[in-house]
Amino acid sequence: MQEAQTSTKVSLDNSKIKMAIRAGIPLSITTYTLPHEMSEYMEQVLSSFLAELGQEHMGTYLKYCLNELVTNAKKANTKRIYFKEKKLNLFDDLDYEKGMLTFKEETLNNIRYYLGLQKQSGLYVKLILQTRNNRIKIEVRNNSELTFREYKRMHDKLSRAQQYTSVDQAMNQIIDQSEGAGLGIIIMILMLEKIGLTEENFQILSENGETITRIILPINEKTQRELNTASHEFIKLIDEIPQFPESIMKINRLINDSNSKMSEIAMAISSDVSLTTDLLRLVNSVTFALASPCRSIADAVKLVGIKGIKNMLLSVGSIKQLDGLGGSSQTQKALWTHAYKVAFYAYNLARNFCPGDKEIIDDSYICGLLHDMGKLVFSTAHQDFLESVKEMSRQRNISTDIFEKLLAGVNHSEVGALIAEKWNFPDIIITVIRHHHEPDMASPATKKLTSLVYLADMLTHYETHEVDYYQFDLDVLRIFGIGSEKQLKKISDKLVSAFKE
């Protein structure tokens, strides 16, 4: 989000914070003048972010660090404007010394004027929060690239921080405060040390015209241990989920047999009236855009191929199994609607971006349909099953909060992958389910399909304004040659329109 008017109080949207955490996507807040209301809002978002991750114990220390970093970023932007107004070269040593003699006093006495110029020039301060792979990333960015002198000063302060063992000791020393940043940075490092971190968890770099200060935090071991325990115990309870329908597994064994004839496969499917009906309905859906209706299984096999039929059978079987568990019809309907939309988007993206890769096209629909299988299991699970999970939590002394996070979808990718393994699904489907929120973790052989399903999933959230363009993984956008929001919006509009038809 960006600031509107400095007098406007920004409301906190916890749903966006929760979604960003569960999908591993970044949250970003941009400000040009950093009014008091925006500083408060940033602190609120950080607090909510940490609370959702069970890391509240870091709050006090990280709020100080956040305030220090955003204040320094704003000050760096103001410095650029001040030097420009004074017609001084920030990168020239003599001009730098001359400018810094009056910078602090003159800007403080006329701060509104300089902040106004800052906003007109588009100089921003941006906070980015993200959690992935059991790490929390807190970044403050501003589009004023560090000079060599500033970079050296910052690292000198970081080195000096190692000399002190407490904040009191640091404050009692004579520290050069000509730019007002020295003491603050040292205290910040000491704050990080109080939560078990070192200067290695703090990074300063300049790239693409931005100065980036970054704090990388491991998620609290106790929280992670409880989540892992809850997940592993839940995995044991997966045995209560029924095995995949034997009728479908029998047909799949026939499909996997190289000696099987197409006519035998078609006959085996046709002998099951309910399965035949479901399969023909899927083949004739708008997703596959057949030129003319398919009226027999024999024709379906010819049109979509053996692998296409196999994946469709797995899709039909999964829907039947998960629907058979019961659960909240409203939640279930919303998740299935999302699943069908992601499947439709994934298949159509595959046809457009990977026209020569039949493997990806064949697998795209089922991977899109089942990407959130872990969520579907929880939403469709009957009450007895949920009570079993609760009882397991009590026996293991796992907090109610951890249990609620598990039910809300934390680790749903892993849970879904484990169910797919239980049902003996192909490795490619299991991998995509497991890594659809983090395609960079997929193997090279499966990365493109995983990235495609990630893109399809994100596009469904983009069209409803749940995510913004900046939250898309840049590597994924590069894979498919998407270089601007205008291009992404065009793709989104086409898919939305096609799905409605």
Side-chain angles (χ1 to χ4, degrees):
M1 68 147 291
Q2 293 184 356
E3 66 187 12
Q5 299 174 345
T6 57
S7 60
T8 302
K9 188 169 179 63
V10 189
S11 59
L12 191 66
D13 187 347
N14 276 309
S15 64
K16 278 201 169 186
I17 293 172
K18 289 179 180 180
M19 180 185 172
I21 288 172
R22 282 158 199 167
I25 57 179
L27 279 172
S28 177
I29 303 169
T30 301
T31 178
Y32 294 91
T33 59
L34 195 64
H36 179 66
E37 293 83 1
M38 184 57 75
S39 294
E40 285 187 335
Y41 177 69
M42 285 181 171
E43 286 192 5
Q44 289 172 4
V45 171
L46 177 62
S47 294
S48 182
F49 190 83
L50 294 173
E52 186 63 24
L53 291 165
Q55 310 299 300
E56 297 96 325
H57 65 286
M58 297 182 181
T60 301
Y61 303 105
L62 292 178
K63 281 180 186 177
Y64 175 87
C65 296
L66 172 63
N67 183 62
E68 178 67 20
L69 294 179
V70 297
T71 300
N72 284 346
K74 182 181 79 168
K75 198 176 295 180
N77 288 348
T78 305
K79 191 192 297 182
R80 269 68 185 166
I81 292 298
Y82 179 78
F83 271 66
K84 185 177 179 181
E85 282 286 286
K86 296 295 181 182
K87 296 182 171 53
L88 296 171
N89 182 358
L90 188 70
F91 295 87
D92 179 84
D93 286 347
L94 291 177
D95 276 3
Y96 189 87
E97 293 291 348
K98 182 180 177 181
M100 291 311 300
L101 289 173
T102 53
F103 165 68
K104 186 174 181 179
E105 181 181 357
E106 290 195 15
T107 54
L108 284 177
N109 290 336
N110 199 7
I111 191 63
R112 286 184 178 274
Y113 172 72
Y114 286 105
L115 289 180
L117 291 178
Q118 216 167 284
K119 188 169 184 177
Q120 287 176 26
S121 299
L123 294 180
Y124 58 75
V125 176
K126 185 182 293 184
L127 167 65
I128 299 175
L129 302 173
Q130 187 176 16
T131 178
R132 289 189 71 181
N133 304 326
N134 300 329
R135 295 281 187 277
I136 300 169
K137 180 174 73 175
I138 301 172
E139 275 188 357
V140 173
R141 295 175 173 236
N142 62 295
N143 52 342
S144 295
E145 198 165 358
L146 282 173
T147 65
F148 175 75
R149 176 191 286 261
E150 290 170 323
Y151 187 81
K152 186 176 183 302
R153 272 184 68 88
M154 190 78 80
H155 277 275
D156 286 346
K157 301 306 177 188
L158 293 177
S159 298
R160 188 181 294 190
Q162 308 313 306
Q163 301 172 15
Y164 307 106
T165 57
S166 71
V167 172
D168 288 342
Q169 184 189 10
M171 294 187 73
N172 287 331
Q173 299 293 321
I174 298 174
I175 297 174
D176 173 19
Q177 297 187 53
S178 62
E179 296 189 44
L183 182 60
I185 288 291
I186 290 172
I187 293 175
M188 188 187 75
I189 294 299
L190 293 171
M191 289 281 193
L192 291 176
E193 287 178 357
K194 283 184 175 291
I195 51 177
L197 304 175
T198 69
E199 73 280 3
E200 293 178 0
N201 295 90
F202 179 69
Q203 302 169 357
I204 306 168
L205 60 152
S206 290
E207 60 182 32
N208 301 321
E210 286 187 317
T211 294
I212 304 165
T213 48
R214 179 184 296 150
I215 300 173
I216 302 292
L217 308 161
I219 288 180
N220 177 265
E221 288 184 12
K222 181 177 182 294
T223 302
Q224 194 57 49
R225 187 168 60 249
E226 285 195 341
L227 268 174
N228 288 339
T229 300
S231 297
H232 283 296
E233 290 298 320
F234 172 71
I235 290 164
K236 295 177 184 176
L237 295 175
I238 289 177
D239 288 337
E240 296 183 16
I241 296 174
Q243 290 290 338
F244 212 67
E246 177 56 30
S247 58
I248 292 179
M249 297 309 293
K250 183 179 178 181
I251 295 168
N252 268 332
R253 285 194 291 271
L254 192 62
I255 290 173
N256 291 332
D257 185 350
S258 58
N259 295 319
S260 298
K261 297 178 181 178
M262 297 271 274
S263 57
E264 290 176 328
I265 295 169
M267 187 177 295
I269 297 171
S270 300
S271 63
D272 187 323
V273 177
S274 174
L275 187 58
T276 299
T277 302
D278 289 335
L279 201 56
L280 288 177
R281 186 185 298 119
L282 184 56
V283 172
N284 287 312
S285 70
V286 67
T287 303
F288 298 97
L290 298 180
S292 57
C294 177
R295 304 190 184 282
S296 72
I297 293 299
D299 287 341
V301 173
K302 292 175 185 175
L303 284 167
V304 301
I306 290 294
K307 186 172 185 181
I309 289 294
K310 180 178 180 179
N311 283 343
M312 286 183 185
L313 287 170
L314 294 178
S315 299
V316 169
S318 298
I319 293 167
K320 285 182 178 293
Q321 289 302 91
L322 295 172
D323 278 348
L325 293 175
S328 166
S329 59
Q330 187 174 357
T331 304
Q332 191 175 339
K333 183 179 179 182
L335 283 170
W336 275 122
T337 299
H338 173 69
Y340 284 122
K341 183 176 282 191
V342 173
F344 177 86
Y345 284 13
Y347 180 75
N348 283 277
L349 287 170
R351 290 202 306 174
N352 282 277
F353 286 112
C354 316
D357 197 327
K358 192 172 185 306
E359 291 287 316
I360 286 182
I361 294 172
D362 285 346
D363 291 328
S364 59
Y365 185 87
I366 187 170
C367 287
L369 183 71
L370 302 181
H371 75 287
D372 273 347
M373 188 189 284
K375 285 184 181 179
L376 284 162
V377 167
F378 279 119
S379 74
T380 57
H382 52 69
Q383 194 56 42
D384 290 346
F385 179 79
L386 295 181
E387 285 302 323
S388 296
V389 179
K390 287 181 181 179
E391 180 58 32
M392 170 273 295
S393 299
R394 285 191 288 268
Q395 291 174 1
R396 292 280 182 169
N397 293 319
I398 295 171
S399 68
T400 304
D401 183 56
I402 293 292
F403 168 71
E404 292 299 331
K405 290 185 191 311
L406 195 64
L407 289 189
V410 174
N411 284 4
H412 74 272
S413 300
E414 182 63 21
V415 169
L418 289 163
I419 294 166
E421 286 177 350
K422 173 184 170 68
W423 286 345
N424 296 313
F425 278 20
D427 288 342
I428 183 66
I429 298 175
I430 295 168
T431 297
V432 173
I433 292 173
R434 178 168 278 129
H435 297 302
H436 71 273
H437 283 311
E438 43 185 18
D440 56 310
M441 299 294 289
S443 66
T446 60
K447 186 172 182 177
K448 193 165 189 178
L449 178 58
T450 308
S451 297
L452 187 137
V453 172
Y454 162 89
L455 180 60
D457 183 30
M458 286 288 285
L459 281 167
T460 65
H461 296 298
Y462 177 74
E463 71 190 52
T464 56
H465 309 292
E466 294 171 273
V467 300
D468 296 315
Y469 176 69
Y470 80 86
Q471 292 176 293
F472 282 74
D473 188 306
L474 287 177
D475 288 337
V476 171
L477 295 181
R478 288 191 196 101
I479 287 172
F480 300 108
I482 301 171
S484 68
E485 182 166 13
K486 183 179 179 181
Q487 193 178 356
L488 185 80
K489 182 73 165 57
K490 187 176 180 181
I491 293 167
S492 175
D493 290 345
K494 284 185 177 180
L495 288 170
V496 170
S497 177
F499 187 75
K500 286 179 179 177
E501 293 174 5

